[in-house]
Each structure stands twice: as C-alpha cells, then as structure tokens.
Amino acid sequence: MNRRTILKSAVAAAALTASMAGSAWAENPVLKIGFVGVTSGPAAAWGISNQRSMETRAAWINETGGYTIGDVTYDIEIVSFDDQKDPKRAIAGMEKMAQEGIHYVVGPNVDDGAAAVRPVAEANGIMYFPYAFPKELYTAPASNAVLGMVANYQSGPAIYKHLMENEGVKTVAFIAANESDPLSQRDGGVAAAKELGLEVVSDNVTYQVDTTDFTPVLTPVLRSRPDLLVLSGVSPANAPQLIRSARELGFQGLISTETAQDAQVLAEGAGDLANGFISVGGASTPELASDAMREFVQRYTDMFGEYNDESNTKVYALEYILETLKANPAAMTDVQAFQATMDSFEAPNPYMVGDAKLRYVGDSSFGQKRQVAVPLVVNVYQDGKFETLFVAEVD
C-alpha cells in the first residue's frame, strides 16, 4: 500500500469516526433556549449566574437522556449573548435569537435592556424571562415578559418591615447609582418605606458607576444618621466599595439592598466590614433544598469551580420554560399557547422539599400571571458566606 493510499484510508477512517460520533451526539433533536444578559463589567455576576445555571441544567438534562416534550425527546442547547448592560446590544441579542428561530429567552438582567427588547420579542413571538422590575413589562397589554425573580417593590417592604420589628429601625437613607435601574429601585424603596411609617432622612444622593472613592458621596448621607442605609439597585462590584467606605466613615447602622449579591466579591472587596450586610438571596436555603437542588449546586461547582448563591433563583427560569412546554407541546412554536397555559400551569418543584409547586404568580402586582413563583429568601452576609435571615412568599 503506498503512502497516498494510507493517507486516504486514514482520512476515511477519521471521517467515519467523526460521522459516528456526530450521529451519537445528534441522537436527539436540539431545542435551543436563549440567554441575553450582562456577563461583563460591574454587573457581570448577575448574568454569569444566569448563563451558568442554564448551562449546568442543560448539560445535566442531556447527560441523562434529554427532555421529552410531547412525543419527542430533545437535547437542550443554550445560545448566549453578552449584552454588556447596553440596551442597544440587548436588542441585537434578541434579534439574534429571532434569526435563529428561538422562541424562549432568559434575560435581560436590567431594566433598560428588558424594556428595550420588548418590541423585538413581541414582533417575533418570543417569550422572555427578565430579571428586571418595571411593572409595565408584566402588565397588560404587555404579555411576553415573565419576571424571573422577586421584585424590589416586593422584597423591599418585607426587608424594612422585618428590620422595624426585629431591629428597631425607624429611620432610613437611600443612595443609588445615577442610572435608570437603581434610581427606579430607589424611588420604589422610598415609597415603600414611607408607607410602612419609616422616616426617610436622605433620598437624593447619587454616584457614578465608575466611582472609586465613595467617601465624599457617602458623607452627606451619613450625616443624617440613619438606622438603615439602603444601597438601591447596587451592582455586585460597587457594593463592597460602598460598604467599606460607610464603615470606615464610622457608620454602625444596618446596610441592605434589594439586589442579589456575590459572597466572594464581598469577601474580596470588603472582608469583615461586610458582616451584617443584608441582601436578597437565592430561592433556596439548606432547609428548603431538595436532593435535586444539592445535585445542581454540585454540578454547577464541578463545571465552573465555584458557586453563586443567586443561582438558587436563576436555576428556575429554564425549568419553568421546559415544564410549560411539556404541559402544552403546541407552545414549542406558538407563544400564545404558552401564555394560555400559564394561568392554570402547575408542576412539582424539583428544587424544594415537600410538595412545593412550580406555578406562575403576579396577579397582585401585575393583574396577570407574569412572574415565576420562587421563595423570597433574604440573606445576611457573615464571615465570607450568606446566612438566611428570613423566608417569605409573594403572589
């Protein structure tokens, strides 16, 4: 056999092997689910948690044979797009999903992005699950967005009431980045605090997101001597800087936020000065976590070398999408069928112990069911990790 024949045989064998491998991998058809959100910059932790949660769950599903909807079993593929917290890029990301024929997308992670993609989603028959709070996204005539977490106007009052009743908090000050998301969350927090009877002693101080020295920003706020300092809509990158500056200025009161945070970032940026910091956590505590949730955490950690507590909430969006499609396979390409199914949808919650259910809520806040039902878990940071402060529910 000459050299050319040997090479031809080798190439043919390699092609056959690749073909066989491809056939084995493509045994199931692929169902693509999109993610459009922020995975770079100061707010990256929010989107990274989303993307990693989806990829972990998809890999788990595919490893165990796929996901059956109707008469077909699918492998799940996550198609991701980093919008860099830029509404224009969020639009480009949603347009990419439309071009790929994707009807179900998780994200965006911030208010501007979630509002910006609405026309694209509605025009192209896409249901999307933002982690953003504007009520107009979830209130009729809007119908294509589903809130993937507990909103600040739901968690804020719960936190303030708990601190009033258990810590004697009477006065509160707010500080926010000079961007639409944090400012909106600040305004919602101020309204909730006043309704509960708290005295708001400062609510007009803002900062730029690229601030490195927060001392001059915080000084006038702390002169008002609040019992509670609320960091409205604070990003994971800015939170430790603000906490450190407040403590170094001598503030001994409570500090909280209605946004989810990253324990590792807090540890690296503020250390023990972050002890006592209150934030919204993931939707599962050790007491609530099922065996499936513990396996999810382990798989996530094995894939990425670390775990973010916020993923206890972020694991849910993909599960809701798939379970709703399973309940009504016609929704695979028809989001109106998906919407019709939401009102009566109910399925076992695999991530919580007991008889917890996956279901859509939101009647109280939005007048229609456009929110996933996840527990409101409020955490307190202590010595490098989050501890559960209390657990509540929202409708």
Side-chain angles (χ1 to χ4, degrees):
M1 184 181 291
N2 62 34
R3 183 173 180 271
R4 179 173 294 179
T5 304
I6 292 172
L7 286 173
K8 283 184 177 179
S9 299
V11 170
L16 178 60
T17 301
S19 175
M20 292 173 63
S23 297
W25 179 255
E27 184 177 347
N28 294 330
V30 171
L31 171 58
K32 294 182 179 181
I33 305 293
F35 166 69
V36 176
V38 54
T39 57
S40 59
W46 292 336
I48 289 172
S49 175
N50 265 127
Q51 184 175 338
R52 289 180 172 180
S53 295
M54 295 174 73
E55 291 174 349
T56 299
R57 181 63 180 128
W60 184 3
I61 290 170
N62 296 344
E63 179 188 318
T64 52
Y67 197 93
T68 301
I69 298 171
D71 297 328
V72 183
T73 299
Y74 297 89
D75 286 332
I76 308 302
E77 178 184 340
I78 306 303
V79 180
S80 299
F81 186 94
D82 177 13
D83 66 18
Q84 299 176 8
K85 204 167 174 280
D86 180 342
K88 292 181 180 178
R89 281 190 58 82
I91 292 171
M94 195 63 81
E95 289 174 340
K96 169 185 168 65
M97 301 301 155
Q99 290 165 5
E100 294 203 21
I102 294 172
H103 291 281
Y104 298 94
V105 176
V106 176
N109 302 98
V110 296
D111 294 2
D112 284 352
V117 303
R118 177 181 168 185
V120 180
E122 292 180 348
N124 290 278
I126 296 174
M127 291 294 295
Y128 66 112
F129 287 63
Y131 294 77
F133 300 149
K135 288 187 176 182
E136 59 268 22
L137 293 177
Y138 315 107
T139 305
S143 60
N144 286 43
V146 180
L147 179 57
M149 63 186 296
V150 177
N152 69 303
Y153 39 79
Q154 297 165 333
S155 60
I159 293 172
Y160 308 154
K161 184 177 180 182
H162 177 89
L163 296 179
M164 290 171 71
E165 294 175 348
N166 294 275
E167 301 292 341
V169 167
K170 296 179 179 178
T171 60
V172 58
F174 293 81
I175 185 169
N178 191 22
E179 291 187 324
S180 60
D181 289 18
L183 293 175
S184 174
Q185 292 186 41
R186 178 200 64 187
D187 293 345
V190 169
K194 288 180 177 179
E195 187 171 342
L196 286 169
L198 284 169
E199 179 185 357
V200 178
V201 295
S202 178
D203 64 358
N204 60 0
V205 175
T206 63
Y207 59 89
Q208 300 304 314
V209 292
D210 59 353
T211 299
T212 56
D213 181 6
F214 285 93
T215 299
V217 178
L218 282 166
T219 297
V221 181
L222 299 184
R223 284 200 192 106
S224 63
R225 302 176 66 84
D227 297 326
L228 171 65
L229 173 64
V230 177
L231 311 181
S232 299
V234 68
S235 72
N238 288 144
Q241 298 171 303
L242 281 158
I243 294 167
R244 175 176 287 280
S245 295
R247 295 307 186 199
E248 289 177 346
L249 284 168
F251 181 65
Q252 297 181 354
L254 296 164
I255 305 177
S256 75
T257 184
E258 285 83 57
T259 50
Q261 298 296 311
D262 187 315
Q264 184 175 340
V265 173
L266 290 170
E268 293 172 353
D272 290 345
L273 293 178
N275 284 347
F277 178 52
I278 298 164
S279 65
V280 174
S284 182
T285 67
E287 296 78 19
L288 296 176
S290 65
D291 289 342
M293 175 59 87
R294 283 188 281 272
E295 182 171 353
F296 167 75
V297 173
Q298 187 59 56
R299 285 175 173 270
Y300 185 116
T301 305
D302 291 343
M303 282 185 71
F304 301 106
E306 59 183 4
Y307 187 73
N308 185 334
D309 177 74
E310 190 182 352
S311 293
N312 291 359
T313 297
K314 298 296 178 59
V315 68
Y316 276 99
L318 178 59
E319 207 73 34
Y320 268 89
I321 291 169
L322 296 177
E323 283 290 323
T324 308
L325 292 174
K326 183 187 204 177
N328 186 358
M332 287 286 291
T333 56
D334 180 1
V335 299
Q336 290 185 342
F338 190 97
Q339 293 166 3
T341 305
M342 292 170 67
D343 283 340
S344 59
F345 169 80
E346 190 173 274
N349 185 334
Y351 301 115
M352 291 179 62
V353 295
D355 61 353
K357 303 294 184 182
L358 300 178
R359 58 190 178 89
Y360 293 96
V361 296
D363 285 330
S364 297
S365 295
F366 313 122
Q368 59 180 349
K369 292 184 176 180
R370 288 298 183 273
Q371 181 176 8
V372 301
V374 296
L376 166 57
V377 176
V378 176
N379 286 337
V380 58
Y381 177 87
Q382 191 67 37
D383 298 330
K385 62 182 181 180
F386 291 120
E387 299 176 357
T388 304
L389 186 62
F390 67 90
V391 180
E393 290 186 353
V394 298
D395 176 15

